[in-house]
Amino acid sequence: CDAAGGAFAANPAGRGPRGRGLCRSSSMYVPIHNPPRFAPTTPSLPSILICRRDRALETRRRIPAQSSVLVRWNISHLAHKLGLDIVHYHCLTVTGHALPESDIAPAPAISPLAIPIRLRGSLSQYLSLYPSHTRLAIGDLKRWTKNAASSVDMSFFKPKAGGWGMKLTFHTIAAWAYPQFPLPKGIHRKKVVAVLLRARAAKPAMVRILIFIPGLSNYGTLLSPILAADGKWHTVIIPLSRFTPMGKGAPLESLANARFLSVGLNNGAAGANELEVSKLYLIDKR
């Protein structure tokens, strides 16, 4: 994502914290680029600040014009130092201060860039934090309805890890596949605040969740993929606040009128891909 002022850009490259306790990877890497919008002789001096409320650790790096640096944080250390948890989002803020080209010309202003991050926990950790939840019977393949672009071949299967999976063949680029699973009756849909799943995508793709509400706007995790499509298993919790309307519509406040839920993907290239979901839960308010 780019800074609002266009002065520098940051791209979080880590897949989420891991390690002891709440963490799942020991490091988070953030490439920061100083694009050539300033003259090549104008360096910038950004300060990279990771913070939660009034507690902060700070790293300063000098980035000459038209160059990049890679900043690394030990997430296990930060999680312990700052008291980060797996429930709330925390703010990774990048601020920059450009050096003036001369004693007369003022230094250009740089808008700050804020990146929301949240530590990832294990499935058992999430379920212990949210004891009221409903596990969906996704292993019943007959309950799934195919829903994909006409250029996509789709078939369902039962993965070795259990749950549900689909094999896909994309004959064109920019195609999609979002099979629908009916939400069960008898659950308190108004109490649902998040969706929890353990899933993996075999090859690169934009993995998303959609929610279908008849007569109203459908919703989806449209702003970003829910997990890294790298062939590895990921456990992810998605609050309803992350679902945005597909077109005009009010924010998604509950699943009271929802009929179907879909876990699917948009492909980045033609060819075969697979998506597996071993477990899928609706999480109630704590």
Side-chain angles (χ1 to χ4, degrees):
C1 48
D2 293 316
F8 57 84
N11 177 30
R15 296 192 185 95
R18 179 191 289 187
R20 295 182 180 179
L22 303 178
C23 298
R24 281 199 163 188
S25 78
S26 58
S27 301
M28 177 177 181
Y29 295 88
V30 180
I32 302 176
H33 176 59
N34 185 13
R37 299 210 178 176
F38 300 134
T41 57
T42 305
S44 63
L45 182 61
S47 63
I48 297 86
L49 177 67
I50 183 168
C51 61
R52 184 190 180 212
R53 297 175 183 168
D54 59 339
R55 291 171 290 179
L57 291 178
E58 188 171 5
T59 301
R60 291 180 179 268
R61 295 291 297 272
R62 184 188 182 100
I63 309 176
Q66 299 179 317
S67 63
S68 302
V69 298
L70 184 65
V71 181
R72 173 184 176 273
W73 287 282
N74 184 306
I75 295 298
S76 299
H77 174 71
L78 289 177
H80 176 74
K81 184 77 174 179
L82 304 180
L84 307 185
D85 57 61
I86 62 174
V87 176
H88 302 94
Y89 279 93
H90 310 282
C91 177
L92 171 65
T93 303
V94 182
T95 60
H97 305 280
L99 300 181
E101 295 185 45
S102 66
D103 295 334
I104 300 176
I110 298 179
S111 299
L113 172 67
I115 307 172
I117 62 172
R118 183 176 58 182
L119 307 192
R120 292 180 183 173
S122 66
L123 189 67
S124 60
Q125 286 175 325
Y126 285 122
L127 294 178
S128 65
L129 287 173
Y130 298 92
S132 179
H133 53 262
T134 301
R135 182 176 175 179
L136 301 182
I138 58 175
D140 184 356
L141 303 186
K142 295 181 181 179
R143 301 185 65 180
W144 288 89
T145 301
K146 294 182 178 181
N147 180 42
S150 58
S151 59
V152 179
D153 296 331
M154 173 190 296
S155 63
F156 302 148
F157 70 98
K158 283 195 173 185
K160 294 181 180 179
W164 162 88
M166 64 175 175
K167 295 183 179 181
L168 303 165
T169 301
F170 293 94
H171 296 286
T172 62
I173 61 173
W176 54 270
Y178 289 94
Q180 297 177 343
F181 183 87
L183 294 177
K185 298 179 180 180
I187 62 173
H188 298 286
R189 299 186 187 182
K190 290 185 178 181
K191 294 183 178 181
V192 175
V193 296
V195 178
L196 172 66
L197 75 159
R198 179 176 179 268
R200 77 176 190 95
K203 297 180 180 179
M206 299 287 286
V207 182
R208 296 187 173 99
I209 294 182
L210 305 183
I211 294 175
F212 297 88
I213 303 178
L216 298 174
S217 177
N218 298 324
Y219 294 81
T221 53
L222 308 179
L223 301 181
S224 61
I226 61 173
L227 53 84
D230 55 6
K232 300 178 181 179
W233 287 98
H234 298 274
T235 299
V236 185
I237 187 168
I238 306 102
L240 295 189
S241 59
R242 278 196 60 188
F243 289 84
T244 56
M246 301 171 66
K248 295 182 179 180
L252 181 62
E253 297 181 351
S254 77
L255 299 185
N257 298 313
R259 186 177 178 183
F260 298 101
L261 183 147
S262 175
V263 184
L265 53 84
N266 291 71
N267 72 313
N273 205 345
E274 292 185 11
L275 178 64
E276 300 176 50
V277 181
S278 65
K279 294 180 176 65
L280 181 60
Y281 295 85
L282 299 180
I283 301 297
D284 295 342
K285 185 177 182 180
R286 293 195 293 174

